[in-house]
Amino acid sequence: MNITKFWSAPGRFSFAQVAVSGILFSLSLVFVNHVISWIALLPLFLILSKAVNIRQAVQIGLLFGCASAGILNYWMVPAIQYYAQGSLFLAVACWLLAVLLIALCYALQFVLFVKLSFRSDGWPALVLSALLMAVLWVGGEWLRAQAFSGMPWLSYSFGVSLSSQLYLVQPAAIGSVYILSFSLVLFNYSLSHAVHSRSWKWALAPLLIVLVHAVSGLLMYGIISDKLSGDGRKHINTSLVLASQSPEAVWDERNGSALVQNLLSLNRQAVTSSPELVLWSETVVPWTYSPDDDFLREISRGVAGRGAHYLMGMSSPVSHNSSMVYNSAYLFKPDGQVVGRYDKTALLTLVERPLFEESSGIILPFLAGGGLAVRAGSVEQLMQTPWGKAGLLLCSESAVPTLTNSYGKLGATFLINLGNDGWFSDYFITRQHFYNCRLRAVETRKDIVINNNRGVSGVIHGTGDIGARFQSDEASIQQVSVYPNSVPANDFHLFLYALFLLGAALAIGKCFERAGAKSERRPNVS
């Protein structure tokens, strides 16, 4: 195919290249596959580098966005139709809206690239254009994460695909997932130039990028392994109660007794190994907390004499006169006294909170069908435990790096993620959830222990090593060890600030280039 003729007479195969790139991009995230990610954007950049006007950039952005977002959000249709009691029309409408929003974001991103890219020949223009694309890509990811903080399905980050590889994920310790995306985009863009120019000396650029990334990751892993091995290595013997409940489980006269007896049986099994901490999942108790709860008394009796604290997910009433609740996690002493409580702060839009205001009523009935509305808790809550300060993440909060970053600043010594992926247990969301937790562990250099109902549970150490991993639809008790540490974490925002300054410098440089080009074209009238 002659790429240079694409825009003068667009062909179906050329447009197919953009679609193929969107498919590869989405597959790298669906399977968290770092191999696919190194070539995923190659077809896209081969085409985008030839775009010369806004119309072409918009076309490429819309096509790439639709192809990638259409696959990444396919799960919305069956999930909304089944669990949210919605019609097929509502499910498809939500899916199409998500696809359109992401496509528009990519269109804007590519328009900025076409307007600001450096078109002159030679390696300086190539380097500057590659940096520009990487800055715009990461900036787009960050802006979507801020704008759609309650809708993680609108802010997938390319760098997540590298989190499946231990050494490649290590740079996240200084730049979060965004530095991983930066490396991938830089590599793909420079590789596209090598392919297009057919001058294989240019292949040294992408080779150098991946080499620097991998070697730096290897060195960072060695350094943090030495630090953590010398940090005392006291650990918390933890029992994970994998209840594997249906996400539709509620207490009522028909199934309430069986549900309670199952949870009490699991509690008895959990303490047989004399753990220090018994960890349950998010909303494992499908009713609102009360200090006079007979069920909690029975749980305490089962733990009595074993010396184990236990952490349970359940809702908390906002007030006696309100139907609103907090999505909470309670830490109990062995005698049943409450040690601490965490309320989820980053609520899911349309699922836990309405689209606009609490009174708007625009919410899918995952929870609202039962008359339940959720209110966000206060930010930056650490839970004091017998083993140090714990940073709690409830379900989708594992996809919010700013939250764990604040925990690191406040002195958290380990992280806990309680989730309920029963709604999405048949989709790749469970895999994404687990590897997002790996990113949070590497970013903060803290162990994170995960109990995710019908998702992937286990423990990931601050080095990024996966200490244990479990996933099953069958109820079970699993034993893991969690190692708190006091190693300080880096602030990944410093990387973002440097990136934004680089973007500003590139934009200023482009202005000077245009001014110089205009002065050269101006006739000499002297």
Side-chain angles (χ1 to χ4, degrees):
M1 170 194 166
N2 188 345
I3 298 175
T4 60
K5 295 181 179 178
F6 167 53
W7 291 115
S8 58
R12 289 179 296 175
F13 185 68
S14 298
F15 283 106
Q17 282 186 271
V18 178
V20 166
S21 200
I23 293 169
L24 290 174
F25 172 79
S26 59
L27 292 180
S28 74
L29 290 170
V30 167
F31 296 105
V32 194
N33 188 301
H34 67 93
V35 176
I36 298 175
S37 66
W38 293 110
I39 59 169
L41 301 182
L42 174 60
L44 169 68
F45 291 154
L46 283 170
I47 301 301
L48 186 60
S49 62
K50 296 301 176 183
V52 295
N53 58 49
I54 292 177
R55 178 182 62 84
Q56 295 164 352
V58 169
Q59 288 177 338
I60 297 173
L62 291 177
L63 181 55
F64 177 81
C66 287
S68 59
I71 295 173
L72 288 171
N73 289 323
Y74 78 92
W75 54 269
M76 295 178 69
V77 175
I80 292 174
Q81 189 178 9
Y82 183 73
Y83 288 119
Q85 307 162 19
S87 64
L88 178 61
F89 175 80
L90 174 63
V92 172
C94 289
W95 173 70
L96 288 175
L97 180 59
V99 170
L100 177 61
L101 285 172
I102 293 177
L104 290 172
C105 290
Y106 281 119
L108 176 59
Q109 181 177 311
F110 294 166
V111 165
L112 290 174
F113 175 76
V114 168
K115 299 296 290 183
L116 296 175
S117 60
F118 297 82
R119 298 292 177 175
S120 58
D121 295 329
W123 68 265
L126 167 65
V127 171
L128 294 176
S129 292
L131 288 172
L132 176 66
M133 173 52 73
V135 168
L136 289 174
W137 196 285
V138 172
E141 287 186 352
W142 180 81
L143 285 172
R144 281 188 283 122
Q146 304 309 305
F148 307 119
S149 59
M151 295 182 279
W153 51 88
L154 295 180
S155 55
Y156 292 105
S157 289
F158 193 20
V160 173
S161 60
L162 294 186
S163 62
S164 60
Q165 214 288 328
L166 178 61
Y167 301 130
L168 296 181
V169 76
Q170 296 302 318
I174 58 173
S176 184
V177 68
Y178 302 113
I179 197 170
L180 307 185
S181 297
F182 184 83
S183 288
L184 284 172
V185 174
L186 209 58
F187 177 90
N188 276 266
Y189 192 92
S190 57
L191 181 61
S192 72
H193 181 79
V195 172
H196 173 67
S197 65
R198 297 184 181 180
S199 175
W200 295 107
K201 66 178 182 180
W202 289 108
L204 293 175
L207 180 62
L208 181 62
I209 292 168
V210 73
L211 188 63
V212 169
H213 187 106
V215 171
S216 62
L218 182 62
L219 292 174
M220 293 170 73
Y221 177 77
I223 292 171
I224 192 61
S225 296
D226 290 341
K227 281 185 178 180
L228 293 183
S229 63
D231 200 49
R233 306 313 287 158
K234 294 181 179 179
H235 65 274
I236 311 166
N237 293 318
T238 305
S239 286
L240 300 182
V241 183
L242 309 184
S244 296
Q245 290 184 161
S246 165
E248 301 166 288
V250 295
W251 188 92
D252 56 32
E253 294 183 357
R254 179 174 54 85
N255 67 357
S257 178
L259 187 152
V260 167
Q261 292 305 314
N262 178 57
L263 295 180
L264 292 176
S265 174
L266 289 171
N267 186 62
R268 289 190 292 269
Q269 296 175 49
V271 297
T272 56
S273 60
S274 299
E276 298 170 85
L277 175 65
V278 178
L279 201 64
W280 299 73
S281 62
E282 178 195 29
T283 59
V284 66
V285 180
W287 58 82
T288 303
Y289 169 79
S290 168
D292 302 321
D293 193 322
D294 291 336
F295 168 74
L296 293 178
R297 288 199 183 100
E298 290 300 317
I299 290 288
S300 179
R301 290 191 185 100
V303 175
R306 301 284 185 170
H309 287 64
Y310 51 102
L311 185 69
M312 306 188 79
M314 59 195 306
S315 58
S316 304
V318 171
S319 67
H320 294 296
N321 301 323
S322 174
S323 61
M324 298 194 72
V325 298
Y326 295 109
N327 183 358
S328 305
Y330 283 86
L331 179 63
F332 298 91
K333 290 182 178 180
D335 61 6
Q337 293 184 44
V338 175
V339 177
R341 185 183 106 190
Y342 171 78
D343 300 324
K344 186 176 182 181
T345 61
L347 301 182
L348 286 172
T349 304
L350 291 176
V351 178
E352 294 175 308
R353 70 178 183 189
L355 183 57
F356 299 111
E357 301 294 337
E358 290 181 356
S359 59
S360 70
I362 304 177
I363 188 169
L364 296 174
F366 280 88
L367 299 176
L372 192 62
V374 184
R375 177 172 290 177
S378 59
V379 297
E380 297 183 344
Q381 304 175 70
L382 288 184
M383 183 177 286
Q384 187 65 52
T385 77
W387 314 281
K389 295 179 180 179
L392 269 290
L393 305 169
L394 290 184
C395 202
S396 58
E397 288 182 325
S398 66
V400 185
T402 52
L403 186 58
T404 46
N405 188 256
S406 68
Y407 287 162
K409 293 177 182 177
L410 292 172
T413 59
F414 67 104
L415 305 175
I416 300 173
N417 179 222
L418 308 185
N420 185 359
D421 276 355
W423 306 104
F424 317 107
S425 59
D426 295 330
Y427 311 108
F428 72 93
I429 302 298
T430 58
R431 190 184 302 112
Q432 279 268 325
H433 190 156
F434 185 74
Y435 282 108
N436 268 309
C437 286
R438 192 181 208 181
L439 285 164
R440 305 295 85 84
V442 171
E443 289 164 3
T444 58
R445 291 309 189 188
K446 301 293 180 286
D447 280 22
I448 182 168
V449 57
I450 309 154
N451 191 340
N452 198 350
N453 182 56
R454 293 202 176 185
V456 185
S457 302
V459 64
I460 303 172
H461 300 304
T463 58
D465 288 293
I466 297 174
R469 177 174 177 164
F470 316 102
Q471 184 173 25
S472 175
D473 289 338
E474 300 295 326
S476 66
I477 306 296
Q478 302 292 344
Q479 307 299 321
V480 300
S481 295
V482 183
Y483 294 84
N485 74 72
S486 56
V487 173
N490 297 302
D491 187 349
F492 72 85
H493 291 93
L494 296 177
F495 169 76
L496 288 176
Y497 299 151
L499 212 61
F500 297 153
L501 286 175
L502 175 60
L506 291 171
I508 293 171
K510 181 63 178 180
C511 292
F512 278 114
E513 182 191 58
R514 286 179 176 173
K518 287 181 180 179
S519 64
E520 289 179 3
R521 291 195 300 267
R522 189 177 299 121
N524 189 348
V525 295
S526 59

